Amino acid sequence: MYLLYGGKFTRTILVEMVMAEGGIEYEMREIDILDGEHRSGHFRSINPAGMVPAMVTPEGHTLHETPGICLYLAERHGLDQIVPAAGDGTRGPFLSGLFYLTSELEPTMKRYFYPHRYVLREEDIPGIRQQSFRSALKNILFLNRHLTDHGPYYLGDRFSLVDLNMTYWSTFLNEVEHALDPAPAVLECMKRVRNRPKLQPYFGRIERMKAEYAALQSRGTGVR
Ligand SMILES: N[C@@H](CCC(=O)N[C@@H](CS)C(=O)NCC(=O)O)C(=O)O
C-alpha cells in the first residue's frame, strides 16, 4: 500500500488524481501545512525537504516532487494513456511539456502563492504577486500557442499528465476574472480535463479549497 503525505491547500491532489485515473489504492496521511506540520521533526524524518506531497512506496522508498511521483505511479501501473511509454512517438513532446510546466510555470506559481518569501519589505508583496501572475500568464500564452496548433490536448487527441498539470495551475490563474480569455485553447483543454468523470470531484474540491484559502488570506492567515 502507498502512503501519501499531504492534504488540504496543497498540490497533493495532483497525485490523488493520478491514483484515481489508475484505480490505485493508497492511504492518506494528513499534514496540516497551515499549522506548519510540514516543518515538524516528524515530517522532516519522512521528507527532509519539508514539503508535501511525499509518498512512501510499498517497498519503503520515500518519493517527493509531484511530477516525479505522478510519473512513477503512471509508469509502474501501466497508465500509458496518460504517460506515453519510452519509444512512443509522443514521448518527446510529452517530456518537453511536463518539464516546461515544472521548471517554468511552477516556480512562478510558488512566488504567486508565497510572495512574502521573496521580499525584504512587506510593502513589496503586492508587486511580487502581480509580477508573478504576469509571468505565469506568459507561460500560459506559450501553451495556448502549442494547443492552438496541436490541440485540443497537449498531445493532440490524447489526454496526458501535461494537460492535468496545466489545468491544475491554470485553475488558480482563473481566479482573476477574464485572465485566461487570451488563451482560448487553454480554456478548452481545461474544460475537457475538468469534465473527465474520474477527475470532476477533485476539481470540485480544488474550487472549495481555493475559496477557503482566499477567506483565510483575507483574515491575514495562510502558509508562512
Ligand atoms: N517541487 C515540489 C514543491 C512542493 C511544494 O512546494 N509543496 C507545497 C504545497 S503545494 C508546500 O509544501 N508548501 C509548504 C512550504 O513551502 O512551506 C513539488 O512539486 O512537489
Side-chain angles (χ1 to χ4, degrees):
M1 178 71 84
Y2 294 103
L3 298 183
L4 181 59
Y5 291 82
K8 230 169 153 184
F9 308 124
T10 77
R11 67 193 76 187
T12 309
I13 201 160
L14 278 167
V15 178
E16 292 184 77
M17 288 195 269
V18 172
M19 299 280 201
E21 281 281 331
I24 304 165
E25 287 192 7
Y26 63 100
E27 243 175 60
M28 189 77 203
R29 298 283 161 94
E30 198 71 26
I31 300 294
D32 185 350
I33 68 163
L34 290 181
D35 206 27
E37 198 183 348
H38 55 300
R39 298 192 186 113
S40 66
H42 163 68
F43 184 66
R44 280 196 192 274
S45 70
I46 297 156
N47 181 12
M51 288 185 292
V52 291
M55 187 187 79
V56 181
T57 67
E59 294 75 23
H61 297 294
T62 302
L63 311 183
H64 58 98
E65 298 308 312
T66 312
I69 297 173
C70 293
L71 272 174
Y72 169 87
L73 286 170
E75 291 183 339
R76 180 166 180 177
H77 293 273
L79 304 180
D80 288 358
Q81 70 278 20
I82 63 166
V83 172
D88 183 310
T90 60
R91 175 82 174 180
F94 167 80
L95 290 176
S96 292
L98 193 64
F99 279 82
Y100 182 76
L101 288 164
T102 307
S103 58
E104 298 294 328
L105 181 61
E106 191 273 348
T108 310
M109 294 305 293
K110 195 125 189 181
R111 281 205 306 282
Y112 180 65
F113 288 123
Y114 306 139
H116 49 279
R117 294 182 183 172
Y118 299 85
V119 296
L120 296 175
R121 300 172 316 168
E122 195 77 3
E123 60 264 38
D124 292 332
I125 291 176
I128 287 285
R129 208 168 143 81
Q130 197 182 5
Q131 183 269 343
S132 44
F133 191 85
R134 280 197 199 136
S135 298
L137 277 180
K138 271 194 202 151
N139 297 144
I140 292 296
L141 286 177
F142 163 76
L143 293 166
N144 188 63
R145 248 177 80 182
H146 178 94
L147 288 170
T148 306
D149 294 342
H150 305 282
Y153 295 109
Y154 194 83
L155 300 179
D157 288 331
R158 177 176 178 180
F159 165 74
S160 75
L161 214 50
V162 175
D163 309 297
L164 180 58
N165 268 267
M166 188 198 70
T167 301
Y168 175 76
W169 293 118
S170 305
T171 297
F172 296 97
L173 300 172
N174 225 355
E175 68 200 6
V176 172
E177 224 185 331
H178 300 301
L180 295 179
D181 284 0
V186 168
L187 285 170
E188 170 60 28
C189 181
M190 286 172 74
K191 193 167 82 194
R192 287 168 184 255
V193 173
R194 293 165 70 113
N195 283 337
R196 283 177 75 82
K198 285 185 186 160
L199 301 184
Q200 254 179 9
Y202 294 91
F203 281 102
R205 227 166 86 193
I206 291 171
E207 289 304 331
R208 289 192 293 280
M209 280 194 307
K210 263 170 64 181
E212 207 180 318
Y213 196 70
L216 286 172
Q217 279 186 312
S218 68
R219 293 202 294 273
T221 34
V223 181
R224 296 315 298 166

